[in-house]
Structure formats: structure tokens, C-alpha cells
Amino acid sequence: MDAMVLTAPGAPLQWQQRDTPHPGDGEVLVTVSACGVCRTDLHVVDGELPNIRYPIIPGHEIVGRVAAVGAGVTTHRIGDRVGIPWLGHTCGVCRYCRSGMENLCDAPLFTGYTRDGGFASHAIADARYAFPLGEQGDDVAIAPLLCAGLIGWRSLVIAGPAERLGIYGFGAAGHIVAQVARWQGRQVYAFTRGGDVAAQEFARSLGAVWAGASEELPPEPLDAAIIYAPVGGLVPAALKAVRKGGRVVCAGIHMSDIPSFPYDLLWEERQIVSVANLTRQDGIDFLAVAARAGIRTETHAFPLREANAVLTKLRAGELLGAAVLVPS
């Protein structure tokens, strides 16, 4: 198999050829056809997450075909198209798993972080966390749904029934969630980096009723805001933008420190909440909604060998929509 491998914090990914692995009990081997590039991959590459296992193959928005099944797997057959998300394994026995909160499992494994991911031609997955995708849709277009879409969906649910919804950071997740929110009949207000006219126009093209810089206030108070950009300074900005009783959802796995802010911004029952990982039910629910809502991802496909250049573009904010790596 071919793979782009991270060997140390901040190091460029290395192209390597390895023996193709064999699936163990309860696992499947997947031939990767597409793998989205997520901001969390940047956090892994830049060493911003704890307990990274080196060497590691990043990537957790994987679309591919089952090439082999391990012992005990009855849910998948060779040739099935599946999607592999960020949450790659849970223990099934801790208090969180037993209470329907497997996203908070005490002993999880994460694809492309604590187990090898999809910046490769092949990947091993826990069969329980390999979602059946059917045959509708293009592999490249589907890939961003496996994290940007799933985490976006979970953050939208946690935001509650907000009629006026703010989205801070209009990238892969933002452009998917905006479409779902518009399909649900909500008003979307998009916040981007100052001067990013292209992203603001992109947001309007997807139905946003307003788009502007993150430092600006919207024309009317928001019911809720979701922050996808990993910038702690956006938390007080979003609190200023939401109404009394409004909710600010922090949707990233990593964020820079939140600066101090006056209590008045939080008073009047405003809330700050975070989103952690996903559950299998999130996957089932979102993939059904995406099909009904006719979600269209804005994608840019790149050869797997260009992973380092793509990560650089993402870090610099030079991508509209989502980048997807395709093994050659």
C-alpha cells in the first residue's frame, strides 16, 4: 500500500510504501478511493493534539470499498462502499458507551490520530464504524460528509431550533451546515476572515442572508452561533452577536485560548457549549438528511502525493469548500 506518513510533530508527511495490512477480528480492510482533508488533520500534523502515536497516517474522511473482512464481521461484504469517520473505535463498556454517549468514550480510537487513517491507498477500520454508503453519489463529493458534515450536523443539533443561525468560519463544515440549515428553513449569517470577499460571496451563493467579517455584528441578534474556526477570540465575538438566551457552540476539537471577556457578554442566560466527536447515530441521521436535502459539497481533488501542499493551503485559508485526496 501507499501512504503519506507523519513521523514527528510538524514534520512534512513522507511518502511510504508498506505491506497491505490484514483486518483483525471485527475489522475490515478498505481500498481508499477518496479522503477529505480536515482542519483536524492540521492539528494532528502540527502536534496540537495530545498523545499522538508516531508514525501515524492522518485522514478521517474516508470513502472506499471493502477489500477484506476479518473474523466475526457479518455486516459488510467485499465490494461494499463504506465511509470511515473520525471516531474509529469505542470500548462499549464504559458509562458513556452504555448510556448512548459513545462520543465521550473513555477508551476511544480516532481515525488518523490514534489509529492509521486514509491518507493512503488502504485503511483498516472497525466494522462497527464503517458506514454503508450505497451506490449513489461521487466518492470525492461524499468524503467531506464523513467529518465536516457529521460534526457540522452534531453542532447544528446542539445549537437547537435557532431561526437565525450564525456560522463562524465558512469552510468545509460551514458550507455543508449552511445548506442543511437553509433546507430546514433557517436564516444563515456567515462570518469569515476580514476581507475574505470570496468566502462571503460563496456563503451568499449557498443562501446566507448576510455575510461579513467575524469582527462585525450581524444586522439583527442571532438565536445561536456555531464556531468552526479554531480561534478562541471568536467566542466573545459570537456572544456579542447572540440574543438573550442564545447559544454559542464551539465545534472544533482544538481551539486557541479563549480570551477573558466581561461577564455581561454571558449574562442573560447565554450559553457556551462544545461538541466532541460523533456517535454512530449521528452518522445514520446525517447521511439520511444529506440525501433528502440534496447537499452538494464544494470539493477540490488532489493526488495523494500532494498532501503536504494541500495542508499548507488549508492552513493559509486558501481553500473554498473542501480538499479531497485521491490515491493514484
Side-chain angles (χ1 to χ4, degrees), residues 179-255:
Q179 294 177 67
V180 178
R182 291 295 302 127
W183 176 74
Q184 293 175 331
R186 308 176 192 233
Q187 297 177 6
V188 172
Y189 296 75
F191 297 81
T192 73
R193 298 185 187 193
D196 194 344
V197 175
Q200 292 167 16
E201 291 179 350
F202 181 40
R204 295 188 192 98
S205 74
L206 294 176
V209 299
W210 178 90
S214 297
E215 297 78 17
E216 297 182 57
L217 287 174
E220 50 190 339
L222 306 173
D223 298 313
I226 305 173
I227 301 175
Y228 293 114
V231 182
L234 293 177
V235 172
L239 285 171
K240 288 180 183 178
V242 299
R243 61 164 173 79
K244 292 181 286 187
R247 182 174 295 175
V248 174
V249 181
C250 301
I253 191 173
H254 173 81
M255 179 180 277

Side-chain angles (χ1 to χ4, degrees), residues 141-168:
I142 291 172
L145 301 182
L146 273 301
C147 183
L150 285 174
I151 297 301
W153 170 252
R154 186 171 180 85
S155 64
L156 184 61
V157 171
I158 289 177
E163 178 182 346
R164 295 189 295 271
L165 177 72
I167 296 177
Y168 286 77

Side-chain angles (χ1 to χ4, degrees), residues 9 27 75 80 112 115 182 191 207 218 246 270 273 309 311:
E27 295 181 331
T75 52
D80 287 351
R115 68 182 300 165
R182 291 295 302 127
F191 297 81
R270 293 175 179 85
V273 297
L311 290 168

